[in-house]
Amino acid sequence: MGQAVGGFGVGLMLAVAGAAGFSFKAILVKLAYQYRVDAETLLALRMAFSLPFFLVMGWLAAKRAERALTARDWVWMAGLGLFGYYLASYLDFLGLDYISAALERLILFLYPTVVIVLSALFLGKPVTRGMLAAMLLSYLGIALAIGHDLEVSGPAREVALGSVLVFGSAVCYALYLMGNGQVVGRLGSARVTAYASSFACFFSLAQFVALRPLGLLAEQAWQVYAYAGLMTVFSTVAPVWMVSEAIRRIGAGPVSLTGMLAPAITMLLGWWILDEAIGPYQLAGMAMVVAGIAVMARGRG
C-alpha cells in the first residue's frame, strides 16, 4: 500500500514537473527575443538541438516495434510533424513576439475546444449544450485576458496579431491530436512522437535554410544558444519523458488534470522572470478558461 502511494506521489510530481517544463517554454522564448533573434532562427536552433534526442528515441522505439513502418505510415508521420510540432511551434514563436507569455499559454490552452469543433464538423461527433456553454466561458475568459494585454503590452494591432498567430498554433496542435489518434494505437506513442518530432525538426531547419543565410546560426549571442539549449532540455525532451513516465505510473486522467496548472504556472513565471503585470482581468480570464476546459474534459471523459 505504501509503495502504491509512493508511486502515485512520484508520478504526480513528474506530471507537475512536465507541465511546468512545457509552460517554461514561452518564458525562454521571450528571454531569447531580448537578444534580437528572430523566430525562424530561434526555432531552428531549438530543433537542431532537439533532433539528436528524437532520433535516438526513434531508434529505440524501432528496436522494440513488432513491425516496420509502411510508406503510408511515413506519410502520416510527416503530416503529424508538419502540423503538430513544426507549424504549431512556428506560429507560437511568431505570436510570442507580440503578446505576453501568460496570454499565449491561455490561448494555446483552448486547443480542446478546437478538437471538439473539428470533430463535430468532420467526424460527426455530438456537441452537448454543456460543452457549448463551457466553450463560451473559455472564450469569454480569453477576451478578458486580451483586454489585460491591451492595457499593459502593446498596440491593439500587435496584440490582435499575436493572439491570432497563437490561436493558429492551437488549431495546428488540435489537428495533430486528431491525426495522432488515428495512428498511435497502431504504431505506438513512442514511435509517433519520435518520428513526427524528427520530421518537424527537418521542416524547421529547411525553412531556415530557405529564408536565412546559414551563417546566421553561428552569429547569435551566447545567451540565445543558452536559451535554445534550455528550451531543448527543460521544455522539450525532459517534459516529454516526464509526462510519458507519469502516465505509466498514475494513468492519463490524473496527468491531464495536472495540465490545468499550465496557465497559472506560465502567469507566475512571467510575473517573476519577465516582470509581466498580473491584473484582475487576467486572473478572471484564466479562471474562466481553466474552468471551461475542465468542464469539457469531464464531459468528453
Side-chain angles (χ1 to χ4, degrees):
M1 179 71 173
Q3 288 183 341
V5 173
F8 184 88
V10 171
L12 185 61
M13 286 190 293
L14 286 170
V16 172
F22 285 129
S23 301
F24 197 40
K25 180 206 66 181
I27 308 300
L28 292 170
V29 172
K30 300 286 276 189
L31 288 171
Y33 279 165
Q34 296 176 1
Y35 297 91
R36 297 184 176 276
V37 62
D38 58 35
E40 293 79 12
T41 305
L42 184 59
L43 183 60
L45 286 171
R46 177 201 185 190
M47 294 302 198
F49 292 162
S50 301
L51 181 57
F53 294 97
F54 290 132
L55 291 177
V56 171
M57 287 172 57
W59 176 70
L60 293 173
K63 288 183 64 176
R64 295 191 297 264
E66 296 181 358
R67 69 175 185 85
L69 296 178
T70 65
R72 181 171 176 268
D73 294 333
W74 284 111
V75 171
W76 269 101
M77 295 302 98
L80 290 175
L82 176 66
F83 285 100
Y85 292 102
Y86 163 61
L87 280 178
S89 295
Y90 182 44
L91 292 173
D92 185 42
F93 275 45
L94 289 174
L96 275 167
D97 203 20
Y98 301 103
I99 61 176
S100 67
L103 178 57
E104 176 260 5
R105 182 55 48 178
L106 281 177
I107 295 175
L108 283 182
F109 205 58
L110 292 174
Y111 73 85
T113 70
V114 182
V115 172
I116 289 174
V117 171
L118 293 178
S119 297
L121 291 175
F122 299 108
L123 302 179
K125 293 188 177 181
V127 180
T128 66
R129 291 183 178 179
M131 287 184 182
L132 287 174
M135 289 173 63
L136 178 60
L137 180 66
S138 296
Y139 283 91
L140 287 174
I142 290 296
L144 284 177
I146 289 176
H148 169 84
D149 259 40
L150 288 173
E151 289 184 0
V152 301
S153 292
R157 181 177 299 179
E158 291 189 0
V159 173
L161 176 59
S163 299
V164 169
L165 287 168
V166 175
F167 185 73
S169 174
V171 172
C172 289
Y173 186 63
L175 289 171
Y176 163 77
L177 289 178
M178 294 178 68
N180 185 286
Q182 301 298 312
V183 298
V184 72
R186 179 164 48 88
L187 304 179
S189 61
R191 275 202 296 182
V192 171
T193 299
Y195 291 147
S197 301
S198 297
F199 271 113
C201 292
F202 288 124
F203 289 138
S204 300
L205 294 171
Q207 178 197 40
F208 177 83
V209 171
L211 298 179
R212 301 286 186 271
L214 190 59
L216 191 61
L217 287 178
E219 298 174 1
Q220 302 302 314
W222 69 265
Q223 292 91 340
V224 173
Y225 302 119
Y227 289 133
L230 290 173
M231 228 182 295
T232 298
V233 176
F234 294 108
S235 298
T236 307
V237 178
V240 167
W241 176 82
M242 286 187 288
V243 169
S244 176
E245 182 65 14
I247 291 174
R248 185 183 71 82
R249 288 172 177 265
I250 65 178
V255 172
S256 66
L257 290 177
T258 63
M260 300 288 178
L261 297 172
I265 292 172
T266 303
M267 187 179 296
L268 289 173
L269 288 173
W271 168 76
W272 179 39
I273 298 174
L274 302 176
D275 200 27
E276 291 184 350
I278 297 178
Y281 288 140
Q282 193 179 44
L283 291 171
M286 181 189 70
M288 292 168 68
V289 171
V290 172
I293 299 300
V295 169
M296 281 181 283
R298 186 173 57 189
R300 291 174 67 82

